[in-house]
Amino acid sequence: GCSSSFRECRGCRGDEGRVLLSSGPSRWLSGGGGTTTMVPVLDALWEDRDVRFDISFQQMKVRSGEALIDCLDSIEDTKGNNGDKGRLLVTNLRIIWHSLAIPRVNLSVGYNCIINITTRTANSKLRGQTEALYILTKCNNTRFEFIFTSVVPGSPRLFTTVIAVHRAYETSKIYRDLKLRGALIQNKQLRLLPQEQVYDKINGVWNLSSDQGNLGTFFITNVRIVWHANMNDSFNVSIPYLQIRSIKIRDSKFGLALVIESSQQSGGYVLGFKIDPVEKLQEAVKEINSLHKVYSTCPIFGVQYEMEEKPQPLEDLTVEQVQDDVEIEPEEPTDAFVAYFADTNKQHDREPVYSEELGLAVEKLKDGFTLQGLWEVMS
């Protein structure tokens, strides 16, 4: 059996019916008879969770809730476009670099992919040997390294802004991620986040994580839904609207229940709550749907950083890509991201060896790498 805890109850299929967090159909839910209300799902958020190269002009635009924090001109992409002067745009979700000469040469790095940010010496074609910003990332099990150099001597903004905004992102995940057993409650009251407002507090809400259930309190805010047990404040869950896939009123062995399904990104959890009477349950669902709709129009991502001087809007800083009047021969395709593969220990080319698979001499692969694995990355 599994104990009555959020994390341990994920995927539990025992007769106890503890499915507060479950990744599939629940024993305590019946097939029909209940009223179902679907919540519109936010567009898949990729800006902070992906590394992309040579993106379209449309993808360079800020999405709803994304804000431009700083714009740094005269920034060189030393790793992939050494000698090419460009512009670095810092938003609350990602950094975007694009070449000033050829705007379609660009990259977008989401903060959620960043493993480490540091400063090191780099060799720049525009500045020579100088201090540069090193960013190590991991996306889809592939590591990429980025090196940015400011062409303007003595300017610390490249380092201070990017590092500070990334720190603000890391410390505000409660706005964006489903959180279990967090420090959410103080003196029986919800610890409010900046920009957060409580719209409703509902007492006497049971979660359906055990046969007996756990009696607790529900908070509905403009950012998330929070439930905590009355007997143990640390037994709680915070569900941001960003991660809600659907909200339903379903029949259960406990009667009509509020069922919240979280996004696949957050684990595809199913959370069940019992609110009596039914009229109060219906009012709660209506209110959650209304607040979710407002949130979907303009999400609050929680990344707060103020610049002394406000940058221009991103639309004024990006140049729309123009179709070149040239025909490119497709015989030798190249991949923009290849230049950014992180291989920090490589000082020189490894010795060539004969490959039985290819029938060619190739550079010896690093330990743990296979040709098949490299083909899978390319595809």
Side-chain angles (χ1 to χ4, degrees):
C2 75
S3 64
S4 181
S5 71
F6 287 112
R7 192 171 299 281
E8 292 170 354
C9 285
R10 181 184 177 187
C12 174
R13 294 294 182 272
D15 291 336
E16 296 87 353
R18 299 186 181 112
V19 288
L20 178 65
L21 292 186
S22 166
S23 56
S26 304
R27 287 178 180 269
W28 49 270
L29 296 177
S30 61
T35 304
T36 298
T37 304
M38 295 299 293
V39 177
V41 182
L42 280 176
D43 293 334
L45 179 66
W46 65 267
E47 285 83 357
D48 66 331
R49 298 168 190 268
D50 206 355
V51 174
R52 297 190 180 185
F53 302 91
D54 298 343
I55 59 177
S56 67
F57 177 70
Q58 191 65 32
Q59 290 179 322
M60 289 181 71
K61 290 182 177 180
V62 292
R63 62 165 289 141
S64 177
E66 185 178 13
L68 180 65
I69 293 173
D70 200 5
C71 170
L72 298 101
D73 285 315
S74 302
I75 302 295
E76 177 192 68
D77 171 20
T78 308
K79 177 86 174 186
N81 294 280
N82 203 332
D84 190 0
K85 190 183 293 187
R87 174 180 286 137
L88 191 73
L89 307 168
V90 182
T91 83
N92 56 338
L93 297 178
R94 55 178 169 159
I95 58 174
I96 305 167
W97 180 90
H98 72 83
S99 165
L100 291 175
I102 313 173
R104 71 168 181 272
V105 176
N106 59 63
L107 55 90
S108 172
V109 180
Y111 296 136
N112 200 57
C113 300
I114 294 177
I115 300 172
N116 187 39
I117 301 182
T118 186
T119 57
R120 279 192 250 163
T121 302
N123 289 314
S124 161
K125 288 183 180 179
L126 298 176
R127 283 283 310 277
Q129 197 169 51
T130 183
E131 193 174 26
L133 185 70
Y134 274 68
I135 301 177
L136 182 63
T137 68
K138 186 176 182 181
C139 181
N140 296 326
N141 296 318
T142 302
R143 291 188 179 224
F144 298 106
E145 183 183 57
F146 301 91
I147 305 172
F148 297 108
T149 304
S150 176
V151 181
V152 180
S155 175
R157 265 176 68 194
L158 171 62
F159 312 112
T160 56
T161 302
V162 174
I163 291 172
V165 174
H166 176 252
R167 187 182 296 119
Y169 175 88
E170 285 291 298
T171 55
S172 58
K173 289 190 174 181
I174 190 72
Y175 285 86
R176 304 178 301 275
D177 296 343
L178 189 148
K179 179 71 174 176
L180 306 169
R181 292 187 175 277
L184 308 178
I185 308 298
Q186 188 173 30
N187 298 325
K188 300 299 180 182
Q189 295 299 318
L190 178 64
R191 298 175 63 179
L192 288 177
L193 306 170
Q195 300 177 285
E196 185 176 28
Q197 294 178 318
V198 174
Y199 279 80
D200 201 0
K201 176 182 177 182
I202 306 175
N203 296 309
V205 178
W206 297 82
N207 80 49
L208 306 181
S209 62
S210 67
D211 273 344
Q212 295 77 29
N214 285 289
L215 184 62
T217 304
F218 222 44
F219 292 93
I220 301 173
T221 83
N222 59 326
V223 174
R224 56 183 173 158
I225 300 167
V226 176
W227 178 91
H228 75 89
N230 290 342
M231 298 297 291
N232 182 4
D233 289 348
S234 64
F235 186 51
N236 57 52
V237 60
S238 170
I239 318 149
Y241 293 129
L242 182 66
Q243 299 296 349
I244 292 179
R245 182 180 177 186
S246 68
I247 295 177
K248 307 173 183 178
I249 297 177
R250 295 275 299 275
D251 280 339
S252 75
K253 67 180 185 179
F254 302 98
L256 290 179
L258 168 63
V259 180
I260 301 174
E261 186 178 355
S262 75
S263 67
Q264 289 301 313
Q265 197 176 69
S266 67
Y269 294 132
V270 176
L271 302 96
F273 302 96
K274 185 79 166 67
I275 301 175
D276 289 321
V278 173
E279 291 75 20
K280 185 184 286 187
L281 169 64
Q282 292 171 338
E283 287 175 8
V285 171
K286 185 178 179 180
E287 185 170 32
I288 293 170
N289 271 296
S290 177
L291 288 168
H292 188 283
K293 187 175 181 180
V294 172
Y295 180 90
S296 299
T297 304
C298 188
I300 300 172
F301 294 117
V303 183
Q304 294 183 304
Y305 183 83
E306 288 291 330
M307 293 292 298
E308 291 183 5
E309 296 181 16
K310 295 289 184 182
Q312 293 175 258
L314 186 57
E315 288 75 11
D316 297 344
L317 297 168
T318 51
V319 181
E320 190 158 6
Q321 300 167 12
V322 180
Q323 188 69 37
D324 295 333
D325 190 20
V326 294
E327 195 169 322
I328 300 174
E329 295 291 335
E331 281 78 16
E332 296 183 6
T334 58
D335 291 280
F337 61 79
V338 173
Y340 301 90
F341 280 142
D343 191 358
T344 53
N345 297 320
K346 182 176 177 181
Q347 304 297 327
H348 51 77
D349 290 341
R350 290 177 281 272
E351 70 273 14
V353 295
Y354 179 73
S355 167
E356 294 283 352
E357 295 175 69
L358 300 176
L360 298 168
V362 299
E363 183 180 357
K364 186 178 179 181
L365 297 177
K366 287 179 64 179
D367 292 340
F369 285 80
T370 64
L371 282 174
Q372 180 63 34
L374 293 177
W375 280 118
E376 288 173 358
V377 170
M378 295 291 287
S379 60

